[in-house]
Amino acid sequence: MRYRLTTAAFAAGVVFGAAGSASATDLEVTHWWTSGGEAAAVAELAKAFDATGNKWVDGAIAGSGDIARPIMIGRITGGDPMGATQFNHGRQAEELVQAGLMRDFTELAEKEGWTKFIHPKSLLDGCTLDGKIYCVPVNIHSQQWLWLSNKAFADAGVAVPKNWDEFVAAAPALEKAGIVPLAIGQQPWQTTLAFQVILVALAGPETFQKIFGDKDATLAAGPEMAKVFAAADQARAMSAKSNVQEWNQATSMVINGKAGGQIMGDWAQGEFQVAGQVAGKDYTCLPGLGVNEIISTGGDAFYFPKQTDPEKAKAQEALASVMLSPATQVAFNLKKGSLPVRGDVDLNAANDCMKKGLEILAKGNIIPAPDQLMSADGVTQVNDLFVEFFANKELSAADAQKRFAEIIAAAD
């Protein structure tokens, strides 16, 4: 699947498919996109949906997905479903689908040929249960990135690193200049994300797949992973003075030159864009920490709880269709910093970092996201472990690795 870097799709307009509803219908859409870059991206989805004659009713929930998901699930199971709701690709909504609470979009998917243009195939597979399609993937978000402040390294008098080892080596110079080497927020998923990125970069995608996919506890406890935990220990030391909570606050530290770098998903690009920073000039991006140029095919998808109102059901179809239209895919993902799920759209306006991601995707150097391989309970246990590891210096890398291997052994 190739991405055409032309301008044609911008002029193509929005293709609705099932969007021709006769009357305007309000549809509440819940999500956890509240940072500056995220809000700009959501506005593109809302604008495209409103153009169908319906009305996007924004149901943003402040905080991370860890905070928002229980609220969303509680409303759906409690009989107060929204029109559509965000989840990440993978197994997060699996129990809701099994309980018969989510709408089946197989008919619309077949009518519009989703299997022909959604790429990679694993994105739609993550929406499929027992042969039926229950969600709409809207982007590909990879967490495999190290974002670097060019200003911070200039102020410290050292060259911008080209890989993880150079970044670690530059940490003393950054600290001497009063700059935090590595910015990490205190949200539970951020420390897990950093660990997972380090794992793929230093141990390779095969090790990642065997541990999170095959649940290989022996490998998780072995010497190869000991090197990963040693690097995570370095990350812990470099981020000790980060002292921020939200991921976008950590990104702001990089934007302002108060931190040398941040291990974060490509959604950070939205924050750089809102701040008016230019990739390659103001900041540098290293996919796979500059070691293993791999991207994960996680991201965001929308599920549609079943409705008793037939007009809302029609509006759901309109929203599902418009989210996948070429024009919406371009407008949304350029603002979000993510890659589109379509392989046939215009990305002429993509910045240098997004183009790096597109090149990696085109080569097929991809891995699934942990949410696509492990149950929500297993992911939560891993999150809890790394929150403790980064907060408690008394927890050694060796002891953390032992506990990690135990979680993997019991995971489903």
Side-chain angles (χ1 to χ4, degrees):
M1 183 70 69
R2 64 188 180 93
Y3 288 79
R4 297 182 309 193
L5 301 180
T6 68
T7 57
F10 278 110
V14 177
V15 179
F16 299 150
S21 75
S23 59
T25 300
D26 291 351
L27 198 70
E28 182 189 10
V29 184
T30 55
H31 58 87
W32 56 83
W33 290 327
T34 56
S35 75
E38 290 172 331
V42 170
E44 295 294 341
L45 293 180
K47 180 171 66 175
F49 180 60
D50 289 353
T52 70
N54 294 291
K55 178 65 178 176
W56 175 290
V57 178
D58 200 67
I61 300 173
S64 66
D66 293 339
I67 294 172
R69 279 189 295 272
I71 297 172
M72 296 166 173
I73 292 170
R75 283 190 53 184
I76 295 167
T77 57
D80 181 29
M82 62 294 290
T85 189
Q86 172 196 6
F87 284 103
N88 295 122
H89 298 163
R91 300 175 59 182
Q92 291 177 353
E94 189 174 75
E95 292 182 0
L96 295 172
V97 172
Q98 291 171 338
L101 297 173
M102 291 299 190
R103 184 169 175 185
D104 172 7
F105 269 105
T106 306
E107 184 176 345
L108 180 64
E110 291 176 348
K111 177 182 177 182
E112 297 188 342
W114 292 3
T115 58
K116 297 178 182 178
F117 60 74
I118 292 179
H119 175 74
K121 179 177 177 291
S122 60
L123 298 177
L124 204 54
D125 288 345
C127 288
T128 305
L129 189 66
D130 297 329
K132 296 181 179 179
I133 297 171
Y134 290 93
C135 70
V136 178
V138 294
N139 60 14
I140 301 170
H141 260 320
S142 174
Q143 62 189 38
Q144 315 294 329
W145 297 85
L146 175 60
W147 306 94
L148 302 171
S149 167
N150 291 2
K151 178 182 185 300
F153 289 95
D155 289 348
V158 291
V160 176
K162 296 183 178 64
N163 56 52
W164 174 254
D165 286 342
E166 290 184 8
F167 178 63
V168 173
L174 291 168
E175 291 175 331
K176 185 177 180 180
I179 299 168
V180 175
L182 181 64
I184 297 181
Q186 302 303 309
Q187 293 166 307
W189 60 270
Q190 292 187 56
T191 48
T192 305
L193 181 150
F195 167 77
Q196 291 165 351
V197 172
I198 291 170
L199 191 166
V200 175
L202 302 187
E206 296 82 6
T207 298
F208 170 84
Q209 179 68 43
K210 288 179 180 177
I211 289 175
F212 284 96
D214 300 338
K215 315 301 186 296
D216 189 332
T218 300
L219 181 59
E224 189 69 20
M225 282 300 296
K227 298 176 184 177
V228 173
F229 274 86
D233 194 21
Q234 292 175 318
R236 172 169 65 172
M238 290 189 292
S239 63
K241 296 182 180 180
S242 188
N243 296 327
V244 292
Q245 178 69 24
E246 307 292 329
W247 70 267
N248 52 306
Q249 292 173 326
T251 307
S252 292
M253 291 178 67
V254 178
I255 290 171
N256 297 324
K258 295 180 179 179
Q262 179 190 23
I263 299 174
M264 186 49 58
D266 51 14
W267 49 89
Q269 288 200 89
E271 304 305 302
F272 287 107
Q273 182 171 286
V274 167
Q277 295 213 333
V278 178
K281 176 185 175 184
D282 301 304
Y283 66 96
T284 296
C285 55
L286 297 180
L289 306 185
V291 182
N292 260 313
E293 291 198 345
I294 300 289
I295 63 173
S296 55
T297 54
D300 303 291
F302 279 85
Y303 286 78
F304 297 78
K306 288 182 177 178
Q307 303 288 318
T308 56
D309 182 347
E311 292 303 315
K312 287 191 181 297
K314 289 181 182 177
Q316 286 180 322
E317 288 191 21
L319 180 56
S321 183
V322 79
M323 281 178 165
L324 288 173
S325 74
T328 306
Q329 277 285 296
V330 171
F332 170 73
N333 284 292
L334 286 178
K335 293 286 180 66
K336 192 71 169 62
S338 48
L339 304 179
V341 301
R342 297 189 66 122
D344 58 353
V345 295
D346 164 26
L347 282 172
N348 188 54
N351 66 28
D352 289 347
C353 292
M354 185 179 286
K355 286 177 180 176
K356 285 183 181 180
L358 290 170
E359 289 170 2
I360 295 168
L361 183 64
K363 293 175 183 176
N365 294 341
I366 59 176
I367 57 172
D371 286 331
Q372 295 170 287
L373 299 174
M374 184 180 286
S375 69
D377 179 62
V379 170
T380 298
Q381 291 183 55
V382 173
N383 284 350
D384 291 344
L385 170 61
F386 284 99
V387 168
E388 182 180 353
F389 177 69
F390 273 77
N392 179 13
K393 294 182 176 61
E394 300 302 314
L395 177 56
S396 69
D399 287 342
Q401 182 181 1
K402 180 180 178 181
R403 287 172 54 181
F404 177 71
E406 290 170 352
I407 292 171
I408 296 301
D412 62 359

